[in-house]
Amino acid sequence: MREAAAWTPVALLGALGALALGAAVLDGVLVAGPRRGGAADPFREVARLLVQQRRRTLLADTLLVRTGVYGLLLVAVLAGVVLPLGDRPVADLAAGVVWFNAMEVCAWGALWLTGWGVNSVYPLVGGYRFVAQGVAYELPHMFALITAALGAGSLRVGDVVAAQRGLWFAVWMPVALAVYLVSAVAMAFWGPMDGPVAPDIAGGVRAELSGPDRLVFQAGRYTLLAVVAAAAVPLFLGGGAGPVLPPWLWTSLKTVAVLALLVWIGYGLPTVRMDRFMWLSWLVLIPAALLQLLVVAIVVL
Amino acid sequence: MGLSAWLTRHAAARPRPIVVTAPHGTRLRLLTEAELSRRGWRDARSPAGADLLVVCGTPADALTRAVQVVWTETPVPRALVELRGDPRPGRVATALDDAVGRLADARSQHLDAAGRANAPAPLPHPDSEGQDGGHGGEHDEGHSEGHGEGHGEGHSGGHGHRMGDPGGVPMARRGPDRDGLALDRLHVPLGPVLVDWPAGLVVETVLQGDVIQRARVEVAAGLGEERFWDAPWLAALEGRHVPRGEAARRRAASHLDSLGRLLSVAGWRGAAAESRRLRDRLLWERPHEGLSRGRAGAEVSRDFTGFARRVRRSRLLGWMLRDLGTARPAPGRAVPVPGDVAASLDRWLDETGAALEDLGDRSPLGDSEGPRGPVDERPSEELLAVLPALVTGTELAVARLIVAGLDPDLDQVRPAREASHG
Amino acid sequence: MEPWTVVLGLLGALTAGVLAVYTASLLLAPPGTLEAGPFLSGARPREHALSRFHVRWYTVTLLFLAFDMEMVFMYPWAVVVAEVGVSAVVEMFAFLGLLMAGVVYAWREGALRWA
């Protein structure tokens, strides 16, 4: 394991914060419409949530709610620990891909705890929707990650980046990238997969959150979206590789591109309900991912 | 504190509104939504995330109580805007600016908060109990449900296994479901204060998990007479001269409103916003120099064609809306009921396209076929009658889509008439 | 510097940030906490929402468990395929084929539909 540097945590927090804010600004602009001042919405929202009165529902389990809300942000940041910022991540773990997967699965628990703890119907329904969504997307997601790891013959994210020096994985395992992007959207409960926080259940899991709880939750949500977008870069898009510009700039540009794509998708597609989607993820996405895995395994041999 | 005041002012410039509409307040709602869209303010979905509550129309008792409850649930900073009566142009904008001013006033907001903080949680309404008694009785463990008032006071009342009611509210009791299991039941009313929900509609549901076991429709009435969507046809029935173009414009706007609501419930924010923008342009855009009314209509028609193509082509939307609410009409009814959500979507798109072709037609209106059917027959009352049968047994998301697909216009519903029993 | 130290430092910074948010709210927001009922579209709650939730998709969770256990094998497999060769691929895909047969069976039995 390479020596970790002390500046990397700061860089990670700064990068994730900037990406999350950028995603929020883009979403604000899309929702408000062109030339309607939506770009400032996230900042006004932060201001509002800081001065908003704190609120507690009837017999809410505040410890569970705070654990869930903080946990969402925590797992997002922890998942980003293995992603290279330029040429080195915060911690280049030998099983970095597994770490990434394990961290973002903890988001299931975080979101469900929030939905359960507030003692209200709509968040409860939202929390269970997220667990259903998790069961649907997690296996295709894992297969996509394994495909990338197989292509590099290693679970260390640095090795996956190094293995793409000749050719990006996105080029010869496109199905894995597509499956990864779908599962990334589902994992971050964004866009077409926003069932847990959907408008038809009055905002779902965040329906009863206000003030600092809501602020941390929203921060966690956007950070999770930023992390899953950022993870696509070292795993499938070659990491920091590219001519002329330094690696950290290439990483940033690619991450911003993927993140913008995900935010835009979130605005332009209807919400997918899990009772219709479940068979698709088990009978279309998993076999497709498996076929891709077979192809990659044959190539690697 | 200086920073707090600055942040409050900064946040107040773009509040997040929840719009509540009373029946017969449709015109005010449309004006409000157009103004909010023009300002680009982003809707809130629940009171915890809102700072502005806009009440359009004149609510009667039940709706006033509901609004009051939601108002007490909204945390500070908050502002209430009540729009009632005859809307003068610019009045909505003035009221909203007023509300922004109140939101920015940190001192008064703090005083508002000081009066409310740490007050004990309000107990359930005594008159909200016992409503299930009239429905063939609940079968909870064989006990008859003649008395509902035992809930709020915390006494066991013969159900010896209960330990009392924490916080004054009982734990969920069990009831049978379709598979014969005994599952916990929650009584969840859908509406009247719910985003993207028909004005004044209340569907009292019994929820097990997220499946609706029983549903009963009630109407939270509003005071007034105006039936906005049916106005041109009603005027024609009274004998006034109404050009067909006007009626076509109203019909197209009505369908665009319904489309916007359905697409919003389906989670497609982009298409819902576009539909509502088209509706606002049709209803409120004043022709200005260089742009005649005819040309403006042609532009809307052109934009609508692109929008309709995108919505129709969306396979994801078609997949989600397929086979929802395929009608199971109540026995004894001969009239086929449009419960099918995908069919409603297609019908609205087709009729809007056709109506946008007729915007310039000046011949007098002769028929009485309004956007939801013959205006003198009040078709929404029929829709409310079949609604419980359509949503029973469906899960919450599907039920919301079915209601959005039916989109009953409660302006048409006569006040004294109880719409249905589950 | 040890990687774990850095990660702990990251955790510390994040926790400090979140605590700062809560402290800021304590300082800037009105004092006290609003006791507000759950949002029920303007009605008061008739029972607590904390209840046994009928999860109709529980069969899918069993299916998921089976596959998830198999995933424990797949992660190390990805690392050793290049060395071990064809036999690794054949064995793993035979295993996966068996599991997929189970998934198809579950699908035909209607476990993936619960609406």
Side-chain angles (χ1 to χ4, degrees), chain A residues 11-105:
Chain A
L12 179 67
L13 286 176
L16 285 180
L19 286 171
L21 201 56
V25 166
L26 181 58
D27 192 55
V29 169
L30 282 174
V31 168
R35 292 184 305 277
R36 295 276 196 274
D41 270 345
F43 302 98
R44 293 195 205 270
E45 186 77 7
V46 170
R48 196 171 63 82
L49 292 176
L50 283 177
V51 296
Q52 192 176 47
Q53 190 178 18
R54 285 170 298 277
R55 187 174 178 271
R56 186 168 52 225
T57 25
L58 180 65
L59 287 191
D61 194 332
T62 320
L63 179 64
L64 288 185
V65 173
R66 297 252 163 90
T67 308
V69 161
Y70 172 58
L72 185 63
L73 182 58
L74 181 69
V75 303
V77 173
L78 279 181
V81 153
V82 289
L83 301 179
L85 314 151
D87 57 343
R88 59 164 65 179
V90 173
D92 198 9
L93 304 174
V97 173
V98 184
W99 169 270
F100 175 75
N101 196 1
M103 284 303 109
E104 38 93 356
V105 168

Side-chain angles (χ1 to χ4, degrees), chain B residues 32-83:
Chain B
T32 309
E33 285 189 7
E35 182 62 29
L36 292 173
S37 164
R38 195 183 64 80
R39 294 172 184 226
W41 291 357
R42 188 172 176 156
D43 266 356
R45 301 291 173 185
S46 64
D51 27 355
L52 184 59
L53 197 60
V54 183
V55 183
C56 299
T58 314
D61 303 333
L63 189 52
T64 311
R65 273 202 303 271
V67 169
Q68 198 53 39
V69 169
V70 173
W71 176 241
T72 56
E73 289 182 359
T74 313
V76 154
R78 59 176 189 167
L80 179 66
V81 175
E82 286 176 316
L83 299 168

Side-chain angles (χ1 to χ4, degrees), chain A residues 127-209:
Chain A
Y128 278 103
R129 277 189 189 179
F130 190 57
V131 182
Q133 193 165 299
V135 168
Y137 82 74
E138 185 63 24
L139 285 169
H141 178 72
M142 284 203 258
F143 279 123
L145 290 178
I146 284 179
T147 311
L150 182 63
S154 160
L155 291 173
R156 189 193 294 270
V157 177
D159 293 348
V160 175
V161 173
Q164 294 181 64
R165 277 215 195 94
L167 188 63
W168 289 3
F169 283 173
V171 175
W172 61 283
M173 39 172 107
V175 175
L177 175 60
V179 169
Y180 174 78
L181 285 177
V182 170
S183 66
V185 167
M187 169 180 3
F189 52 100
W190 183 258
M193 303 287 184
D194 63 350
V197 288
D200 66 344
I201 44 172
V205 175
R206 57 182 172 185
E208 307 287 350
L209 297 177

